[in-house]
Amino acid sequence: MKLRILIISAGVLLAACGKSSNDKPAPTGPASTLISDLQADTGASVGEPEEGKEQRPFYSLTFSFTTQRSRLIKSKADSIQYLKNTDWDIAFTQEYNSYVVVNNGAFTGTPGAGGPGKGAMVIVEKPYDQVTEAPSDETFENNGVHGVGWDSGNGYGWFFYSLSNHICVPVKNRTFVLRTASGKYAKLALLNIYKGNPPVVTDLFWPAPYLTFKYFVQTDGSRRLNTSN
Amino acid sequence: MNTKLLGLLAIALLAACSKDDAPPGPEEPGGSAGNPVKTGTYRVVNLVADTNATSAGDAVSLYYSLEENRVVPASQRQTGNWDIVFYGIYNSSVYPNNGNAVGSPGFGGPGKAEIAVIVDRKFDVAYYDTTHFKPTQLPIPAALWSEAYNKVTTVPAGLRFVTRDIGLDHFLGGFDGWGYYDFYGSLFPGNPQKAHVVYTMPRVLIVKTHKGRYAKLIMESIYKDSPANPDRTHKPGYITFRYSIQMDGSTNLNIP
C-alpha cells in the first residue's frame, strides 16, 4: 500500500516535470469538437442479467459530426428511415457500442450498407494533435478499415480488452483519419466508453457505454487536419 | 525454467503426431538445415498449445513450421524457422512469421511469411449469415470442411495476403476470420456453458511460408478431441488443423 502511494506520487512528480519543461509551440488551427459522455445503448445487456437492462443485442447509435445529432436505431423501421442517408458519419455498434464504423454503402454488415455514404477510415499511430493531414486516397484504399473496436494486439482497434477483468482500456496515441459520409476529411480520437471519462476504471459495473471522443472535420474539402486542440 | 519449457514443447510435439502424419523431424536447436516435408497433406491433431487456456487471457504462443510439420521452440521466435504462430486469446490469432506483423512475436524479425483467408460468400451461405456475420446453424455440418478445402486447388488470383493475423471472424472488428467467437453465448440464450465458445468455420487460409512456398490450411478445432458442438466443458488449447503444402514453389494446391 505504501509502495503504491510512493509510485503514484512519483508519477505525479514526473507528470509535473513534463508540463513545466514543455516548450513546444502550441498547435495552431481550427478548434476540435469534444463530445463527452454521449449516452449509447445503456439498456442492453447480453451477458449476465443486470438490473435495469434487457438481455438483447445492443442498438446501434449513429452520430453526425456536423449537427452532433445522435440516434439510437431500435427497429427495422428506424433502420429504413435513418440509416440509408449521409446524415450521420459514424455509428457505435455491437457489444457495448464499442465497434465504431463509418457510413459507407459498400461496407456489408455495417449500418450504412446499401446507402449513399462514402465514409472511410485509416488508423494512424500518432497522437491526435500530431495528425495534420489526411493520407492519400491510395492509403485509404489499401490500408482502410470499416471500423475499429477491440484491439487483439494487431493494432487494428481503439481499445484493449482484458477478458480477465472485462474492462476496456483505450489505446493511447492512436488516431483515426476518416472520410465522412459526404466525403470530407476528418480526424477522430476515441477517448473512453465509461461515464465521466475516468482515467482508470477498476469497477466492472462502472456506467457504460457513455462515449467520450474528439474530432475535427475539414469543411473546405482539403486534407489539412491541423487543429488548435 | 528452460527444462520446463522444453518439457512442454516435447509434449506438444508428441501431441502433434497423428496417424496420417509424416513423422516430425528431429528437434534441431539451430533449425537452419531443416527437414522439409514432401508436397502433401498433413493433419495435426490435438496440438497442445496451452491447456490451461481460459478466456481470461492470452494463451502461450505456439510456433509452427509448415515446411517441417513441427512445433518450433519459442526461443526461435525471431528466426525464419517457423511459418505461423497461434497467438492470443485461445491461440485464436494465426499470425504469419513476418517482421512487419505489428503486435506479433515475429515483429522486427527476419520473417517473410504472409497469410490470407479465402472468403466465398456463395459457399458461406450454407452455414453463415453473410450480413450479420454469424453461423446460422451449429454444429456446422462437418462435410463443409472437406468441401471448402477441396475447392481450393490453387492460390486464387488477386487474393490479398496480409501480415496481420487471421483470427476471430468479425469479433468487434471488421475482419473475416476462421472462427466465430460467441462471446456472450448469444446463439444459445440462457445456457451459460455456451458463452465464450469458439466455433471453427469451414474457411481456408492460404499461407505463404517464410521460404515462399504456398500452403492451404483449415482449422478444425481448438478443443481437445475436436467436439462437434463445443461448450465450456471442453478443454481449449488443443489445436487440430489440416494443411497441404506445395514444395515446388508453384501455386498449385491440388494436392491429395
Side-chain angles (χ1 to χ4, degrees):
Chain A
M1 190 62 192
K2 253 184 195 162
L3 184 70
R4 194 175 272 177
I5 290 167
L6 268 173
I7 289 167
I8 289 169
S9 37
V12 168
L13 264 170
L14 281 170
C17 289
K19 225 170 223 176
S20 60
S21 63
N22 182 6
D23 44 14
K24 268 197 232 155
T28 55
S32 297
T33 304
L34 177 71
I35 303 292
S36 295
D37 288 337
L38 174 65
Q39 185 174 347
D41 184 2
T42 51
S45 158
V46 280
E48 305 295 304
E50 255 181 86
E51 211 183 315
K53 299 200 183 220
E54 285 178 73
Q55 275 194 286
R56 56 162 172 78
F58 281 77
Y59 299 137
S60 293
L61 180 78
T62 60
F63 182 82
S64 163
F65 287 146
T66 319
T67 63
Q68 294 177 23
R69 169 163 211 153
S70 63
R71 202 187 297 272
L72 271 183
I73 306 299
K74 297 182 177 178
S75 62
K76 186 127 200 180
D78 284 357
S79 303
I80 291 164
Q81 189 174 356
Y82 300 119
L83 292 181
K84 302 208 181 345
N85 56 53
T86 55
D87 296 348
W88 58 277
D89 297 300
I90 51 174
F92 298 89
T93 71
Q94 298 186 15
E95 278 80 15
Y96 283 90
N97 300 105
S98 64
Y99 180 46
V100 185
V101 296
V102 293
N103 180 358
N104 185 306
F107 293 171
T108 307
T110 66
K118 293 182 208 145
M121 183 189 283
V122 165
I123 299 168
V124 178
E125 293 295 331
K126 274 186 193 171
Y128 180 87
D129 60 0
Q130 288 175 25
V131 175
T132 56
E133 194 174 38
S136 66
D137 289 346
E138 201 182 9
T139 303
F140 273 99
E141 183 65 28
N142 295 331
N143 302 337
V145 292
H146 298 184
V148 282
W150 173 55
D151 185 339
S152 66
N154 61 16
Y156 289 86
W158 76 269
F159 61 90
F160 299 121
Y161 183 85
S162 158
L163 288 167
S164 52
N165 62 14
H166 297 281
I167 284 170
C168 284
V169 180
V171 181
K172 293 215 173 15
N173 300 327
R174 185 173 289 168
T175 304
F176 308 99
V177 178
L178 271 60
R179 260 197 337 249
T180 66
S182 58
K184 300 276 198 294
Y185 292 101
K187 63 177 175 176
L188 169 72
L190 294 162
L191 302 173
N192 217 325
I193 201 165
Y194 295 105
K195 193 174 189 176
N197 189 20
V200 177
V201 169
T202 50
D203 175 6
L204 173 58
F205 295 101
W206 195 289
Y210 290 85
L211 295 143
T212 295
F213 54 99
K214 187 160 87 164
Y215 66 91
F216 168 73
V217 178
Q218 177 53 268
T219 51
D220 71 7
S222 77
R223 292 173 188 272
R224 279 197 304 279
L225 293 176
N226 55 305
T227 48
S228 61
N229 62 340
Chain B
M1 182 60 195
N2 257 343
T3 49
K4 200 176 263 179
L5 198 67
L6 273 173
L8 277 174
L9 285 162
I11 291 165
L13 260 173
L14 281 171
C17 303
S18 74
K19 274 174 217 153
D20 46 346
D21 263 354
E27 195 68 36
E28 281 167 300
S32 52
N35 185 11
V37 295
K38 291 198 172 83
T39 295
T41 297
Y42 302 89
R43 188 158 177 258
V44 180
V45 177
N46 283 338
L47 183 63
V48 178
D50 182 0
T51 51
N52 292 318
T54 66
S55 57
D58 287 354
V60 173
S61 300
L62 195 136
Y63 303 82
Y64 209 83
S65 167
L66 297 178
E67 297 220 354
E68 297 180 36
N69 193 19
R70 67 174 182 109
V71 171
V72 173
S75 59
Q76 295 175 26
R77 65 184 177 276
Q78 291 272 304
T79 71
N81 295 348
W82 53 281
D83 298 305
I84 52 173
V85 59
F86 298 91
Y87 184 76
I89 291 170
Y90 286 143
N91 299 100
S92 63
S93 290
V94 186
Y95 273 97
N97 179 8
N98 192 297
N100 293 319
V102 174
S104 81
F107 182 70
K112 293 195 188 83
E114 295 181 356
I115 198 166
V117 57
I118 296 177
V119 176
D120 177 350
R121 290 299 189 215
K122 281 184 189 145
F123 176 76
D124 285 350
V125 293
Y127 66 91
Y128 182 77
D129 177 341
T130 57
T131 304
H132 301 101
F133 308 132
K134 55 184 175 189
T136 47
Q137 53 173 323
L138 286 169
I140 296 167
L144 293 179
W145 266 260
S146 297
E147 194 182 333
Y149 197 69
N150 294 338
K151 274 173 77 151
V152 179
T153 55
T154 182
V155 176
L159 183 69
R160 198 158 157 184
F161 283 88
V162 294
T163 59
R164 63 168 166 78
D165 56 323
I166 304 292
L168 301 173
D169 186 70
H170 290 270
F171 178 64
L172 297 180
F175 296 116
D176 301 309
W178 58 261
Y180 179 77
Y181 187 22
D182 193 359
F183 188 78
Y184 288 107
S186 57
L187 297 175
F188 296 89
N191 182 351
Q193 291 298 346
K194 279 294 197 179
H196 301 290
V197 174
V198 176
Y199 302 93
T200 48
M201 300 195 295
R203 293 260 169 94
V204 177
L205 312 184
I206 302 287
V207 179
K208 188 180 179 190
T209 67
H210 169 67
K211 290 182 177 158
R213 296 185 178 105
Y214 290 99
K216 62 177 178 177
L217 184 154
I218 197 163
M219 295 288 288
E220 294 184 11
S221 181
I222 62 155
Y223 295 97
K224 189 176 185 182
D225 299 333
S226 306
N229 193 12
D231 61 33
R232 288 293 281 283
T233 64
H234 295 106
K235 290 189 82 171
Y238 291 78
I239 297 169
T240 296
F241 64 94
R242 198 181 342 164
Y243 76 98
S244 302
I245 187 162
Q246 177 54 264
M247 297 302 285
D248 72 6
S250 77
T251 57
N252 176 16
L253 294 175
N254 190 7
I255 299 166

